[in-house]
Amino acid sequence: MFEDNYRHKGMRRQLIRTLVSKGINDEAVLKAVEAVPRHFFFEQAFLEHAYQDKAFPIGEGQTISQPYTVAVQTQLLNIKPGDKVLEIGTGSGYQCCILMELGANVFTIEYNKKLYDQAKVQLRSMGYRPHFHLGDGTKGWPTFAPYDKIIVTAGAPTVPEALIDQLTPGGILVIPVGGEDHQEMLRITKDSDGKLKTEKHDYFRFVPLVGKHGWRK
Ligand code: SAH
């Protein structure tokens, strides 16, 4: 296991300053980023990359999301302690740790067996205990539905219907939707009558969401 020393903490504070300069202003989100040692998700040789504001390969053609993207999605979710959160695309598990630092009870789904196995070991070693599921997140996770918040961390061609269905009244779904090149970040809020409101927030570039209601592999 890696150590988390003053140098790493200093690099993390520098990253926080970068996020603030890019417009992240939610104190709780910034605190969560400061709390999670992102370099634990990197091999020692790539330490320098851990606190740069960029995505990085995690194997299997996938990436750990850019810190700015993680911060934007988390900020849009407006996590309250105790929120039941469904995450589609566990990947490295980094985003999941940020959600847990904010006090969320996280249910996270990964499609790729190798990444699923890795993330389980990684998060356990760091002391995080979300509910892990190996499967197709475009169908949601009906067993534990509904969820207060749902976050999709891969680019979707359209909004999967199941995710809307599995959102609690008053709940929020944050999902990047668009082509394979770039996607618009949508925040969809379901009001107490089940009516939906969609806000659009900037463009990002995610790896594709695959599965039944994603991009076909
Ligand atoms: N949240 C991750 C980002 C991972 S990248 C992190 O913090 O590191 C997106 C992930 O979504 C990849 O691991 C990919 O395998 C996964 N994915 C793609 N389609 C999926 C689907 N239908 N269900 C679940 N996971 C999916």
Side-chain angles (χ1 to χ4, degrees):
M1 195 69 217
F2 287 50
E3 58 167 342
D4 186 29
N5 62 30
Y6 280 104
R7 182 163 163 250
H8 303 124
K9 290 184 171 122
M11 288 163 92
R12 224 145 53 233
R13 277 194 296 275
Q14 185 54 47
L15 173 62
I16 302 293
R17 285 191 280 275
T18 303
L19 295 178
V20 170
S21 76
K22 291 183 176 178
I24 303 299
N25 53 19
D26 185 323
E27 284 298 328
V29 172
L30 293 169
K31 258 180 87 177
V33 174
E34 190 162 0
V36 180
R38 192 166 183 262
H39 65 286
F40 285 7
F41 296 88
F42 289 66
E43 285 176 37
Q44 205 114 36
F46 297 119
L47 171 67
E48 296 301 326
H49 297 267
Y51 294 112
Q52 290 172 14
D53 188 24
K54 56 179 203 184
F56 200 79
I58 53 170
E60 304 292 296
Q62 306 300 326
T63 56
I64 178 170
S65 298
Q66 183 182 346
Y68 173 70
T69 306
V70 171
V72 167
Q73 288 200 282
T74 310
Q75 195 166 271
L76 288 172
L77 281 173
N78 192 23
I79 303 290
K80 303 286 174 229
D83 271 356
K84 204 166 138 190
V85 180
L86 178 66
E87 180 193 26
I88 317 299
T90 313
S92 67
Y94 176 71
Q95 169 78 69
C96 177
C97 295
I98 297 290
L99 295 168
M100 296 196 83
E101 282 296 331
L102 288 161
N105 180 17
V106 182
F107 296 76
T108 184
I109 309 180
E110 174 55 53
Y111 199 68
N112 181 293
K113 170 90 168 85
K114 202 168 157 210
L115 295 177
Y116 162 83
D117 287 336
Q118 274 175 15
K120 263 177 118 164
V121 171
Q122 176 69 29
L123 265 53
R124 256 180 215 153
S125 76
M126 293 173 71
Y128 294 101
R129 299 195 176 277
H131 306 268
F132 290 101
H133 181 55
L134 175 66
D136 178 5
T138 66
K139 300 176 187 164
W141 192 350
T143 316
F144 297 102
Y147 303 92
D148 300 308
K149 312 282 163 68
I150 300 179
I151 173 173
V152 180
T153 68
T158 54
V159 179
E161 201 59 44
L163 302 186
I164 299 285
D165 294 344
Q166 291 174 32
L167 204 56
T168 203
I172 300 173
L173 164 64
V174 173
I175 178 170
V177 177
E180 286 193 76
D181 258 21
H182 61 275
Q183 306 86 27
E184 194 165 28
M185 192 65 75
L186 304 185
R187 170 159 71 177
I188 301 172
T189 311
K190 192 190 243 187
D191 73 14
S192 44
D193 307 322
K195 229 176 79 218
L196 303 176
K197 184 184 87 181
T198 302
E199 298 160 23
K200 298 178 170 180
H201 294 269
D202 253 329
Y203 285 90
F204 293 82
R205 188 188 170 91
F206 283 82
V207 296
L209 179 74
V210 295
K212 184 148 191 268
H213 306 288
W215 298 96
R216 308 274 163 164
K217 263 223 272 199

